[in-house]
Amino acid sequence: MTTSTDPDVSPSISGPRFDYVRWVLIAGIAVSAFIVLVMARNTIVRPLDNLVTEQTCRSFGAEIQRPLIEFQRSNRFAFSDQTDGFCLYGPGEGGEGTVRYTLDEIEPGLMYTMAKLSGIVLQLGVASIYLRLITDPTLALYRYLRRRFG
């Protein structure tokens, strides 16, 4: 016995539908996490970074016996406005003019490097905590609403 299939009738291949709303939610969560990352950089890391840079410049100024006039922190990992950082010192005891050193010339040491790294880790930690607190509840609420209202 042979079975024949009607050529006009094709078997239905239906997989799960692509869920656009879910992916829009995920994209929104990703954008908001990036915003939190930038906010953490500006509110937590930048003041800590300024404090560490100022202390480093003051310590070096004490070694060369010059007062610190101005400093700028190193900002090498920024998307824009990247700087190497500098320390500007006032006149010395002999009456010489102002002197400007970059942070690389000062060679701030391991404590400065560790403070910079801890700032980056802190920033990423804040963004990670945000993602953990937002993602699961948001997607769970979406699954509930989708089951409830179709």
Side-chain angles (χ1 to χ4, degrees):
M1 172 184 241
T2 56
T3 59
S4 65
T5 58
D6 191 7
D8 293 337
V9 178
S10 63
S12 172
I13 301 174
S14 65
R17 292 183 323 154
F18 188 74
D19 195 355
Y20 291 103
V21 175
R22 179 173 179 240
W23 286 104
V24 167
L25 276 175
I26 290 171
I29 290 170
V31 168
S32 67
F34 180 74
I35 291 170
V36 167
L37 191 71
V38 170
M39 286 175 52
R41 175 110 184 122
N42 291 335
T43 59
I44 298 171
V45 176
R46 183 174 287 158
L48 174 69
D49 213 6
N50 282 336
L51 182 67
V52 169
T53 303
E54 182 180 11
Q55 182 59 39
T56 300
C57 289
R58 286 196 189 282
S59 295
F60 186 74
E63 287 179 22
I64 62 171
Q65 299 176 350
R66 288 178 178 257
L68 178 66
I69 295 175
E70 184 182 357
F71 68 93
Q72 183 181 32
R73 67 188 181 89
S74 173
N75 195 14
R76 294 183 187 168
F77 299 108
F79 294 116
S80 63
D81 195 29
Q82 294 181 348
T83 61
D84 286 334
F86 68 86
C87 302
L88 181 65
Y89 297 102
E93 292 178 4
E96 303 95 14
T98 60
V99 178
R100 181 177 180 214
Y101 291 103
T102 64
L103 287 172
D104 287 337
E105 292 172 331
I106 291 175
E107 297 177 4
L110 186 61
M111 285 296 276
Y112 180 78
T113 305
M114 295 310 289
K116 296 288 277 187
L117 287 175
S118 65
I120 292 170
V121 169
L122 182 65
Q123 176 184 0
L124 293 174
V126 168
S128 176
I129 290 169
Y130 171 79
L131 279 173
R132 189 68 181 161
L133 291 175
I134 295 300
T135 303
D136 290 339
T138 301
L139 293 177
L141 177 64
Y142 171 69
R143 283 191 296 271
Y144 170 76
L145 291 175
R146 185 173 171 141
R147 269 183 291 170
R148 176 94 177 176
F149 299 111

